[in-house]
Amino acid sequence: MEPNEHRRASRRDDRDEVYSVRVPAGKRTYFFDVKATRSGEDFFLNITESKRRGDGEGYQKHKLFLYKEDFGKFVLALHEAMAYVRDELLPDYEFEDLPELELPEDSYWDDE
């Protein structure tokens, strides 16, 4: 896997993008873009999955907008879902580049 590419946006005409991380992942590329709100006084995370269309004409994109008040809940749910896949569904698979996931004791599937 290629290293993630980080960049700081230097132009305000880049839709108020403040920071961006590009994650190449095979046929897909993920973008994690920090953007300013219209007022310029707040920020949010725009996560985009981009993949080339089957006909080779352009890209298909899916976007998720994540606001600061949801960051903690989102990261916790993402860690829980990844830990579930890693520990329960694919325990013999060797995940590459997956950091150690620590979950709180009261995670939803931990009680089973």
Side-chain angles (χ1 to χ4, degrees):
M1 180 170 142
E2 298 174 28
N4 298 340
E5 298 172 19
H6 303 267
R7 72 178 175 86
R8 293 188 191 281
S10 58
R11 300 183 324 227
R12 291 295 283 182
D13 62 335
D14 198 6
R15 299 190 78 186
D16 293 328
E17 186 176 292
V18 177
Y19 183 78
S20 182
V21 178
R22 180 179 175 269
V23 181
K27 295 181 180 182
R28 293 177 170 78
T29 302
Y30 298 98
F31 297 92
F32 294 81
D33 302 316
V34 177
K35 295 189 175 191
T37 59
R38 287 188 179 137
S39 71
E41 296 180 13
D42 212 350
F43 302 92
F44 63 95
L45 180 61
N46 180 7
I47 303 171
T48 304
E49 174 207 31
S50 178
K51 62 181 179 177
R52 187 172 292 279
R53 293 180 189 232
D55 59 8
E57 297 288 322
Y59 292 88
Q60 181 179 16
K61 295 183 179 183
H62 298 98
K63 294 184 179 242
L64 173 69
F65 298 93
L66 188 60
Y67 300 95
K68 68 180 182 230
E69 59 270 17
D70 301 322
F71 284 5
K73 293 179 275 190
F74 183 87
V75 169
L76 179 60
L78 180 62
H79 277 217
E80 285 187 7
M82 290 185 336
Y84 182 80
V85 170
R86 180 196 63 203
D87 299 339
E88 302 294 324
L89 301 177
L90 299 172
D92 297 327
Y93 182 80
E94 292 208 25
F95 290 90
E96 293 180 24
D97 303 324
L98 186 63
E100 195 60 38
L101 303 173
E102 293 191 27
L103 299 174
E105 291 181 26
D106 62 345
S107 66
Y108 78 95
W109 59 274
D110 205 25
D111 295 335
E112 297 178 357

